[in-house]
């Protein structure tokens, strides 16, 4: 559960810890920079649509915004940070630290970074 910590200071710390740059062998994000509507889904109930969220992609950074209060999320920014390709799982994640690129556990209810499916436009949380 990372949404309470999604503050500008935390995003700045993540951006400093993990620069939003591509690494050799990383794929190009399937979405260009822009504003998108994504679905939020819980990993424990993947077929249940929770809410629509606004996703803003700028170069190699991502911001997930709840435009209306939907518990457990308040209205506003619920996640942000570098958009990173996780090599072991072959998934896009919202990076929080330098080790996230090679983390073996991401998304779902792991302690790893959150997953964003840029093809299906889904933001996953626990």
């Amino acid at each position: 559960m990372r949404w309470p910590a999604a503050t500008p200071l935390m995003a700045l710390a993540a951006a400093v810890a993990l620069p939003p740059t591509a690494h050799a062998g990383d794929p190009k994000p399937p979405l260009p920079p822009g504003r998108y509507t994504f679905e939020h889904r819980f990993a424990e109930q993947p077929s249940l649509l929770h809410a629509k969220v606004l996703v803003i992609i700028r170069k190699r950074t991502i911001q997930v915004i709840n435009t209306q209060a939907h518990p457990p999320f308040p209205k506003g920014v619920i996640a942000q940070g570098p958009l990173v390709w996780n090599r072991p799982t072959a998934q896009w994640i919202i990076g929080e630290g330098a080790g996230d690129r090679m983390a073996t556990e991401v998304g779902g209810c792991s302690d790893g970074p959150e997953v964003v499916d840029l093809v299906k436009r889904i933001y996953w949380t626990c």
Side-chain angles (χ1 to χ4, degrees):
M1 296 188 350
R2 292 193 169 75
W3 50 91
T7 65
L9 182 58
M10 293 300 291
L12 177 61
V16 170
L18 184 64
T21 58
H23 282 72
D26 286 357
K28 182 179 176 184
L31 292 175
R35 300 168 70 93
Y36 301 93
T37 299
F38 275 46
E39 296 177 351
H40 168 255
R41 294 192 183 259
F42 291 107
E44 294 177 329
Q45 298 176 325
S47 62
L48 176 67
L49 170 63
H50 176 252
K52 301 280 186 174
V53 293
L54 172 65
V55 169
I56 300 173
I57 299 173
R58 293 183 185 99
K59 295 185 182 180
R60 288 285 182 143
T61 63
I62 188 167
Q63 189 174 49
V64 181
I65 302 167
N66 196 21
T67 58
Q68 299 177 14
H70 301 284
F73 301 129
K75 182 177 179 179
V77 175
I78 53 177
Q80 61 185 356
L83 182 59
V84 175
W85 179 250
N86 177 270
R87 291 181 182 181
T89 65
Q91 296 180 88
W92 290 100
I93 59 171
I94 301 174
E96 295 182 349
D100 290 346
R101 183 174 312 283
M102 298 304 293
T104 56
E105 291 189 26
V106 298
C109 296
S110 73
D111 287 332
E114 294 175 337
V115 170
V116 285
D117 185 328
L118 300 180
V119 174
K120 294 180 181 177
R121 298 185 185 186
I122 300 172
Y123 166 62
W124 291 99
T125 64
C126 181

